[in-house]
Amino acid sequence: MRLDQFLSARTMYTRKELRQMLAQGKVKVDGQVVTKGDYKIVPEQNRVCLNGTHVPGNRYLYVLLHKPKGYVSSADEPGQRSVMELVPPEMCRKDLRPVGRLDKDSTGMLLLTDDGQLAHQIIAVRSHVAKYYHIVLARPWEAHYAEKIAAGIVLADGVHCQPARAEKVPGTENEALICLHEGKYHQVRRMFAALGNHVAELARVAMGGMELPPDLPLGRCKILPEKDVQKMLKCESDFARLLQTL
């Protein structure tokens, strides 16, 4: 495969921009600068770097974003800042999309991929992918919250939530960790509203068996190998251990 075709398919740069970067020596193949677009590579074997960032040759791309506040989890919502703006062009592809949603005012881990089948598996209710949220409540945690959440909260509009697990973060008055196996619209916030409290801050800290890397700064992202993404589908995080790290 031609190098320029590979870069065009796996980044958001135009052909003109790529020609310029090639001429400027910003592209390396297996550690060596390559300036010719017609240079032949094998995507699965050669390591291509653009502007110092590895451009994966895999068929699908998996990007983990530490989402900040103020961005919507969609690719094309008019008048809103999209999480897609936070993905560098050399780490992006034309079909890359967020998997599920995090509210505009929420933070934490968000997966983006062009693997539609895997995205559906993570979102589908029948997959039961666990999602863990660290929350800060406006008022102190009350002892009966855990029991009511475990029994299945009924929201204000009559919608029933599946049983979930929630516990207060040790040493705090109004922080908690909650684990859901479903993803209704604004579910965590609506659950605590039904309990007479208000979620002031919400951050997703884990999905399935994968936790938000502590060294990934807010607003930054990293490329994940598929084996790490599979942890989201096949495993669950240790709730008790995760609670102690908050």
Side-chain angles (χ1 to χ4, degrees):
M1 184 178 189
R2 286 173 56 114
L3 179 59
D4 54 3
Q5 292 175 336
F6 169 83
L7 290 171
S8 179
R10 286 168 169 78
T11 73
M12 295 298 287
Y13 289 111
T14 65
R15 289 291 182 94
K16 180 179 179 180
E17 290 171 329
L18 289 170
R19 283 196 298 270
Q20 292 174 340
M21 285 186 279
L22 280 161
Q24 293 166 358
K26 294 183 177 180
V27 179
K28 290 185 178 181
V29 178
D30 298 331
Q32 301 297 316
V33 173
V34 176
T35 60
K36 301 296 183 181
D38 59 358
Y39 184 87
K40 292 294 195 301
I41 66 163
V42 178
E44 296 79 11
Q45 297 179 12
N46 297 114
R47 181 179 176 85
V48 179
C49 290
L50 176 61
N51 288 327
T53 299
H54 176 220
V55 181
N58 308 60
R59 179 181 178 185
Y60 295 116
L61 178 66
Y62 307 97
V63 176
L64 181 65
L65 170 68
H66 189 172
K67 178 191 174 298
K69 289 184 179 181
Y71 291 83
V72 296
S73 301
S74 63
D76 48 7
E77 195 167 325
Q80 300 286 348
R81 290 189 297 176
S82 167
V83 292
M84 301 304 299
E85 298 174 27
L86 299 170
V87 184
E90 56 269 22
M91 291 176 63
C92 198
R93 292 184 186 175
K94 296 173 178 63
D95 294 327
L96 194 73
R97 294 291 184 273
V99 178
R101 287 177 177 264
L102 264 182
D103 302 339
K104 183 178 179 179
D105 294 329
S106 299
T107 65
M109 64 186 301
L110 182 67
L111 178 69
L112 302 97
T113 185
D114 54 354
D115 185 345
Q117 183 176 354
L118 183 134
H120 178 72
Q121 286 180 283
I122 292 176
I123 296 171
V125 174
R126 64 178 179 272
S127 296
H128 304 298
V129 174
K131 301 174 183 67
Y132 303 79
Y133 300 90
H134 176 205
I135 61 172
V136 178
L137 298 170
R139 291 178 291 282
W141 171 272
E142 297 185 22
H144 66 277
Y145 286 174
E147 183 178 349
K148 290 191 173 182
I149 289 171
I153 292 286
V154 179
L155 304 180
D157 57 1
V159 172
H160 289 252
C161 295
Q162 293 180 9
R165 182 177 181 182
E167 291 186 28
K168 182 169 72 73
V169 176
T172 71
E173 289 189 351
N174 61 341
E175 295 182 40
L177 177 67
I178 181 168
C179 174
L180 305 180
H181 287 84
E182 57 180 343
K184 293 181 172 64
Y185 180 71
H186 288 178
Q187 183 171 345
V188 176
R189 298 181 189 277
R190 294 163 67 199
M191 288 171 68
F192 281 91
L195 291 169
N197 210 323
H198 171 72
V199 176
E201 301 285 342
L202 183 149
R204 185 155 63 198
V205 294
M207 293 175 65
M210 185 173 181
E211 300 174 15
L212 181 66
D215 59 347
L216 184 62
L218 194 67
R220 300 294 293 274
C221 53
K222 63 181 293 186
I223 294 174
L224 298 175
E226 186 177 357
K227 63 180 180 63
D228 285 355
V229 180
Q230 289 296 330
K231 292 180 183 178
M232 294 185 184
L233 292 170
K234 299 178 180 179
C235 309
E236 289 197 8
S237 296
D238 185 330
F239 188 97
R241 187 194 59 76
L242 191 57
L243 186 67
Q244 295 297 323
T245 65
L246 299 177

